[in-house]
Amino acid sequence: MSLVTLLPFIVLIGAMFLMTRSAKRKQQQAAQMRNQMQPGSGVRTIGGMYATVKEVSDDTVLLDAGPGVELLFAKNAIATVLTDDEYNRIVHGIEHDLKSDTDIVPDDASSLTGTDGTGDSAAAAAASDDKIDLGKKDAEDGTEAPEVTEVEAQDEPKKSDGDSGTK
């Protein structure tokens, strides 16, 4: 056999070796992460459930999912071990950041409109009392268009979806 014939096989074997090596490294990192779990740490399971580790044994983990809810999972079912800040942010909605209090959005919308509630409030109330006429009017004489009664509407032929309206 010549070198040209063996070259595709050598490249294929090399690619398979590299892929299995990276997958094996990821599995080792995941196993190391699962072995370092301690009671009290927050975790996310492969099903997307967030819970707190209560007990860790060789192959299983006892999770506290809420008051009075304890679940037994296999260690392989733990997707990630979360930091305390990340777990509190996701589960409890507690943001632990050092932003100032001035960035907080107020509960009322008065500060968002730019008016402080004085001055133009009387003009805004008067403008909202004006009634708007939404009636149809003829363009030529300015009178209102006549309304079609139910009897007249029944006399007109009805069009179906397939009719084009021409005869």
Side-chain angles (χ1 to χ4, degrees):
M1 288 193 181
S2 69
L3 185 60
V4 175
T5 308
L6 291 177
L7 188 61
F9 291 113
I10 293 171
V11 170
L12 183 65
I13 291 171
M16 288 174 46
F17 174 74
L18 291 175
M19 285 190 289
T20 56
R21 193 175 102 190
S22 66
K24 187 175 182 179
R25 185 181 313 126
K26 286 181 183 179
Q27 287 177 348
Q28 288 175 347
Q29 288 174 346
Q32 181 182 8
M33 179 250 334
R34 289 182 189 114
N35 288 332
Q36 292 177 350
M37 275 189 299
Q38 295 179 356
S41 59
V43 296
R44 183 182 73 229
T45 65
I46 57 175
M49 184 183 71
Y50 294 93
T52 306
V53 176
K54 191 166 185 178
E55 290 181 17
V56 180
S57 64
D58 292 337
D59 295 332
T60 59
V61 178
L62 184 66
L63 300 178
D64 183 17
V69 180
E70 294 178 353
L71 305 167
L72 187 64
F73 276 85
K75 269 190 177 180
N76 293 339
I78 304 300
T80 30
V81 177
L82 305 170
T83 63
D84 290 338
D85 290 339
E86 186 177 13
Y87 181 77
N88 287 332
R89 180 182 58 81
I90 293 170
V91 175
H92 303 295
I94 300 171
E95 292 289 333
H96 183 71
D97 55 358
L98 302 175
K99 291 183 179 179
S100 66
D101 292 339
T102 59
D103 294 341
I104 297 175
V105 177
D107 290 339
D108 62 343
S110 64
S111 65
L112 300 176
T113 59
T115 60
D116 57 354
T118 61
D120 292 332
S121 61
S128 66
D129 290 339
D130 294 338
K131 294 189 178 186
I132 299 172
D133 184 20
L134 298 176
K136 295 182 182 179
K137 297 188 181 219
D138 287 342
E140 296 173 7
D141 59 354
T143 61
E144 291 188 15
E147 294 183 16
V148 178
T149 62
E150 290 182 25
V151 175
E152 291 174 354
Q154 290 176 356
D155 291 342
E156 295 179 12
K158 293 184 181 179
K159 296 180 185 175
S160 64
D161 290 336
D163 292 343
S164 64
T166 59
K167 295 189 180 187

